[in-house]
Amino acid sequence: MPITIADVAARAKVSKTTVSRVLNGKGELDESTAARVRKVIEELGYVPSSRAVGLARGRTRVVGMLVPSLTWPWIGEVLQGAVDVLETERYGLLLFTCNRGEESMRQFGAQVSAKSFDGLLVIEPEGTLDYIATLHARGLPVVLIDDRDVQPMQIPSVGTTHFTGAGAAARHLLEIGRYKPLVIAGPERFGCTVQRLEGFATEYAEAGHPIPADHILPGDFTIACGFEGINAAIEAGLDFDAVFAHNDLSATGAMQAILDSGRRIPQDVAVVGFDDIPLAAHTQPPLTTVHQPLREMGEAAARTLLAHFEGSPLPNRPTVIPATFMARGSTGAGPAADPS
């Protein structure tokens, strides 16, 4: 049978409360009594429950993380970044998804009420922002990752440079002489979609090549939307020599439709994505894209939360980690661009 705190108390001839105070360093205790309790702990090999000790200290040493779904292709990188920091500091992670909608959120709410974790990292599931803001206002430390333009809510966040990342994609395409791009956008309700579209369109407008409205196609970040968007553009007779897709999945779908139409990549159509998920380097040709610092964002969010636990105030401005541009074969970089 495992040794319990009651066993320690009985052997040391003290109360369980006294043993608890020794374990947690609380209260005024006679040094000889404390020394006797510590000796019994060593003799019996008693290992206190880390959760019980944490609760006694007012801390669980567990961080919660709420995400929409683990099927999103970049979630794993963010999660790994957060876990790397938490495990190093001996914190646990309690992960919640919204795969089952309201039922998932009820289970999450029950864990919040039970104070099962000290703070919360959030990749915002759609429609939950008001609830998350309420939790934060009531005292639960929250840090958003890849926020969707929610700075007015005063929730600390970690994000990247969607506007300038998309601008870098536009400059690259202009430099290689592509003046007639199609844009496959993301969902309009997301702040990142707005920023990526504005960053890309601004560069083209300033270069004297404004993007016509019919060259901006709606999308939903899926392979299917990229594939269907290109087919629709071809059927409509649109003239284009480049595609900027708002994520790598829709860029992959666009590439397939372009190749199916008999066009070559990059000779006839150059393609750029956004995110730099692992798939991007393994398409044919490899996909030029904007690299989101996904793992770094997870790390930064976790460090922000842990620093708060140690007494630092949560920042009142977003933490921004710059995106970087990755040129590959789909726009003519590297051996895959050989026009043979």
Side-chain angles (χ1 to χ4, degrees):
M1 296 291 291
I3 303 299
T4 69
I5 195 171
D7 297 324
V8 174
R11 174 75 69 88
K13 295 182 172 54
V14 297
S15 68
K16 290 189 290 185
T17 299
T18 298
V19 177
S20 179
R21 286 178 176 175
V22 172
L23 291 170
N24 297 301
K26 286 186 174 182
E28 296 293 330
L29 287 173
D30 176 73
E31 181 54 37
S32 63
T33 300
R36 186 168 75 253
V37 171
R38 286 193 289 268
K39 182 179 179 182
V40 170
I41 289 172
E42 183 177 353
E43 289 173 348
L44 295 179
Y46 172 63
V47 179
S49 161
S50 59
R51 177 170 173 78
V53 173
L55 289 172
R57 292 175 176 171
R59 184 159 325 157
T60 65
R61 294 194 71 84
V62 174
V63 166
M65 189 167 185
L66 177 64
V67 304
S69 171
L70 295 179
T71 61
W72 287 21
W74 51 266
I75 289 281
E77 283 293 299
V78 178
L79 182 59
Q80 189 62 59
V83 167
D84 287 345
V85 171
L86 296 174
E87 288 186 346
T88 298
E89 298 300 325
R90 299 183 182 279
Y91 272 76
L93 179 71
L94 195 55
L95 181 64
F96 304 91
T97 73
C98 285
N99 289 331
R100 291 174 292 168
E102 291 184 5
E103 181 183 350
S104 294
M105 290 307 297
R106 281 195 296 271
Q107 292 180 354
F108 170 70
Q111 295 297 316
V112 172
S113 299
K115 301 185 186 298
S116 298
F117 44 86
D118 300 327
L120 182 66
L121 302 174
V122 179
I123 300 173
E124 179 213 337
E126 197 167 352
T128 64
L129 186 57
D130 288 344
Y131 175 52
I132 293 164
T134 299
L135 295 179
H136 183 61
R138 290 176 178 173
L140 178 67
V142 176
V143 178
L144 289 170
I145 303 171
D146 191 42
D147 69 279
R148 298 172 183 168
D149 210 19
V150 295
Q151 288 87 337
M153 306 293 291
Q154 296 301 309
I155 303 175
S157 64
V158 176
T160 191
T161 49
H162 300 286
F163 183 94
T164 57
R171 289 192 299 274
H172 176 71
L173 290 173
L174 287 165
E175 287 168 1
I176 62 174
R178 306 304 172 105
Y179 304 124
K180 295 175 289 185
L182 286 178
V183 176
I184 300 175
E188 293 181 357
R189 63 189 180 275
F190 291 172
C192 62
T193 295
V194 175
Q195 293 164 24
R196 291 173 193 180
L197 180 57
E198 288 180 350
F200 189 81
T202 296
E203 290 290 335
Y204 266 86
E206 291 180 351
H209 302 281
I211 301 172
D214 63 357
H215 278 56
I216 300 174
L217 311 179
D220 60 4
F221 288 153
T222 63
I223 290 176
C225 83
F227 186 84
E228 294 164 2
I230 294 300
N231 284 335
I234 292 172
E235 289 177 8
L238 297 182
D239 184 21
F240 62 96
D241 58 8
V243 173
F244 173 52
H246 278 192
N247 79 333
D248 291 343
L249 289 184
S250 53
T252 301
M255 291 174 70
Q256 185 60 57
I258 291 165
L259 295 172
D260 286 353
S261 73
R263 293 168 170 83
R264 300 169 300 166
I265 301 172
Q267 294 88 349
D268 301 319
V269 183
V271 181
V272 180
F274 204 111
D275 284 341
D276 199 22
I277 61 175
L279 171 68
H282 301 287
T283 57
Q284 291 299 324
L287 178 63
T288 292
T289 189
V290 180
H291 173 81
Q292 281 207 80
L294 299 169
R295 187 168 297 206
E296 293 89 339
M297 289 160 61
E299 292 172 350
R303 287 196 188 99
T304 298
L305 209 50
L306 296 191
H308 177 67
F309 297 157
E310 298 303 319
S312 298
L314 288 171
N316 55 16
R317 294 182 179 180
T319 298
V320 179
I321 305 174
T324 53
F325 187 72
M326 303 294 293
R328 297 192 180 107
S330 67
T331 59
D338 190 339
S340 59

